[in-house]
């Protein structure tokens, strides 16, 4: 009896660990050939490299998706929010990769303004039932820690988040073209990491 109780307790512990490791929001499968929207600023556009070495181009080559690069250099989150609806109408994506906020931090705009604009975009995607992967951007200051507003929004809207990619990438001089943009190798790393995460999330 005692051995059975020990086995039962151990089994329940292992089950709890297994379930905790499977937690968090997932993404629906996106078939090859589907349209995916990469929406953001210069990090999406590919500043510091060429069009065919931007992360959307490299990710398209790995996934077989038709990835539309809707990156606008210099754009703030509010400007992105203003054009998102029209872009969705035009592109009709099955998945959105959202990466905005860096220019807000560089311009020292109020955090509440940035968060409100990102919230507006996530609410729109949720209303249209379009899945999204939110990509966090490092804040200004010592180190390259991703701003905590991304984790707050990911939790609020129950969407998957990548909040380590850019802080890790931009910490490596060999992967950068300047202080805030990757080079071709950096964008390739970005595509590799996103492809790996998207597979883990069930999109691939």
């Amino acid at each position: 009896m005692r051995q059975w109780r020990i086995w039962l307790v151990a089994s329940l512990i292992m089950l709890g660990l297994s379930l905790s490791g499977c937690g968090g929001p997932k993404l629906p499968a996106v078939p090859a050939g589907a349209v995916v929207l990469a929406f953001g600023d210069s990090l999406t556009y590919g500043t510091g490299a060429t069009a065919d070495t931007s992360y959307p181009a490299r990710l398209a080559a790995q996934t077989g998706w038709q990835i539309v690069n809707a990156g606008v250099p210099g754009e703030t989150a509010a400007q992105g929010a203003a054009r998102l609806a029209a872009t969705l109408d035009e592109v009709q994506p099955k998945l959105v990769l959202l990466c905005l906020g860096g220019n807000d931090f560089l311009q020292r705009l109020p955090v509440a303004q940035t968060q409100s604009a990102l919230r507006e975009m996530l609410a729109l995607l949720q209303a249209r039932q379009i899945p999204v992967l939110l990509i966090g951007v490092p804040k200004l200051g010592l180190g390259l820690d991703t701003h905590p507003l991304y984790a707050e929004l990911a939790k609020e809207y129950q969407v998957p988040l990548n909040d380590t990619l850019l802080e890790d990438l931009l910490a490596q001089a060999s992967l950068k073209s300047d202080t805030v943009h990757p080079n071709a190798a950096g964008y390739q790393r970005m595509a590799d990491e996103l492809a790996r995460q998207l597979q883990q999330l069930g999109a691939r």
Side-chain angles (χ1 to χ4, degrees):
M1 178 66 77
R2 185 170 177 272
Q3 288 182 333
W4 181 84
R5 287 178 179 172
I6 293 173
W7 175 85
L8 178 60
V9 170
S11 296
L12 289 173
I13 291 172
M14 291 303 295
L15 177 60
L17 291 173
S18 175
L19 290 175
S20 66
C22 297
K26 300 294 184 180
L27 291 171
V30 179
V35 175
V36 171
L37 175 64
F39 194 84
D41 50 31
S42 56
L43 292 171
T44 299
Y45 178 81
T47 298
T50 60
D52 61 348
T53 55
S54 65
Y55 101 72
R58 302 318 306 152
L59 185 59
Q62 293 189 48
T63 60
W65 295 335
Q66 298 180 51
I67 301 184
V68 176
N69 187 334
V72 176
E75 185 171 74
T76 64
Q79 291 170 329
R83 71 182 175 96
L84 179 58
T87 304
L88 294 175
D89 289 341
E90 178 183 356
V91 174
Q92 297 290 312
K94 297 298 183 183
L95 171 68
V96 172
L97 309 173
L98 178 60
C99 181
L100 273 168
N103 290 304
D104 298 58
F105 304 148
L106 290 172
Q107 296 175 32
R108 301 185 184 278
L109 299 178
V111 172
Q113 178 178 317
T114 305
Q115 193 165 23
S116 177
L118 288 167
R119 181 177 284 114
E120 180 182 340
M121 288 184 275
L122 291 171
L124 175 61
L125 292 167
Q126 188 176 74
R128 295 198 183 194
Q129 299 183 326
I130 302 173
V132 56
L133 172 60
L134 181 61
I135 303 170
V137 181
K139 57 184 172 63
L140 292 178
L142 294 175
L144 286 167
D145 296 334
T146 298
H147 200 291
L149 72 84
Y150 294 97
E152 294 170 11
L153 290 171
K155 181 178 180 180
E156 179 180 349
Y157 286 93
Q158 287 297 291
V159 299
L161 168 69
N162 188 312
D163 59 357
T164 59
L165 170 58
L166 287 172
E167 64 180 45
D168 291 343
L169 192 158
L170 295 176
Q172 301 182 58
S174 63
L175 298 177
K176 296 194 295 184
S177 62
D178 57 36
T179 56
V180 295
H181 296 106
N183 54 23
Y187 286 119
Q188 181 66 59
R189 175 76 63 84
M190 196 171 175
D192 292 342
E193 292 299 320
L194 288 174
R196 185 176 299 112
Q197 183 183 15
L198 288 163
Q199 185 170 29
Q200 293 172 344
L201 290 169
R204 302 180 56 215

